[in-house]
Amino acid sequence: MANQAIIAKKEEVVNEIAERVKESASAILFDYRGLTDSEITELRRNLRDQNASYKVYKNTLTKRAFDKLSINLDDCLEGPSAIATSDDAIAPIKVLAEFAKTHPALELKGGIVDGKETSLSELNELATVPSRDGLLTMFAAGLMEHVKNVAICLDLHSQNLEEENN
């Protein structure tokens, strides 16, 4: 029979995982095996720069937390897994995908984005979405194009009016 203190500690960890996933806009599972200590430090720094973090939990405890939240990501819990979480839904995906390009040992598995289970293929698609700042820049550039065209039209119209008056 398991010691009550051990059971209570495990339940505390399950609750921690569940809260962390529930409060985050995204929770991404990835395999970190094969990364050196310096690479893990670099990854942590990159995630921290984007207001994200990651932590390693036992798969059995992670599965219990996911079951508690009615999330089925059992296929992502094969082998050692870490969970990257953030208030920004896209930031950890982009950081992990970029890091995986130069560090093939890192392997994305799946995750939860905005409360929905997300497959590896969906994560790869989300990794290509520009950042919020990039999207705002693209939006502003699109608006500026219309303003520029209106200014050109008004200038041409004023030139035509001047020619008619002369």
Side-chain angles (χ1 to χ4, degrees):
M1 180 103 178
N3 184 343
Q4 291 294 53
I6 294 172
I7 291 172
K9 180 122 174 104
K10 286 183 178 184
E11 188 60 33
E12 186 179 312
V13 172
V14 168
N15 290 333
E16 176 189 333
I17 297 167
E19 280 301 309
R20 201 173 163 143
V21 169
K22 192 176 5 172
E23 292 176 359
S24 300
S26 65
I28 311 305
L29 292 158
F30 64 96
D31 186 349
Y32 58 90
R33 286 181 294 180
L35 293 176
T36 65
D37 286 342
S38 62
E39 290 171 336
I40 289 174
T41 302
E42 179 185 351
L43 176 61
R44 281 186 193 275
R45 188 176 312 114
N46 292 349
L47 285 167
R48 198 174 319 116
D49 289 346
Q50 296 299 317
N51 295 320
S53 63
Y54 90 86
K55 193 164 181 181
V56 178
Y57 296 103
K58 289 184 134 197
N59 285 342
T60 54
L61 299 179
T62 302
K63 182 177 176 1
R64 285 185 191 170
F66 285 172
D67 289 344
K68 194 175 193 177
L69 296 171
S70 301
I71 296 170
N72 181 12
L73 287 174
D74 295 348
D75 56 330
C76 296
L77 294 174
E78 299 293 322
S81 300
I83 303 174
T85 56
S86 176
D87 291 335
D88 183 345
I90 303 295
I93 300 168
K94 294 182 83 54
V95 169
L96 291 169
E98 277 299 313
F99 197 82
K101 287 179 185 176
T102 57
H103 302 86
L106 188 137
E107 181 183 323
L108 291 174
K109 294 181 173 184
I112 301 123
V113 178
D114 290 331
K116 298 177 186 166
E117 297 169 15
T118 308
S119 68
L120 178 59
S121 61
E122 291 171 319
L123 289 179
N124 289 331
E125 284 181 34
L126 289 172
T128 62
V129 172
S131 67
R132 182 177 189 278
D133 291 339
L135 289 172
L136 288 174
T137 301
M138 291 165 59
F139 178 69
L143 289 178
M144 290 302 295
E145 182 67 27
H146 294 298
V147 171
K148 181 180 117 187
N149 289 340
V150 168
I152 290 171
C153 288
L154 290 175
D155 184 49
L156 289 173
H157 182 67
S158 69
Q159 288 175 8
N160 285 340
L161 289 176
E162 283 179 11
E163 288 176 7
E164 288 176 6
N165 289 337
N166 289 334

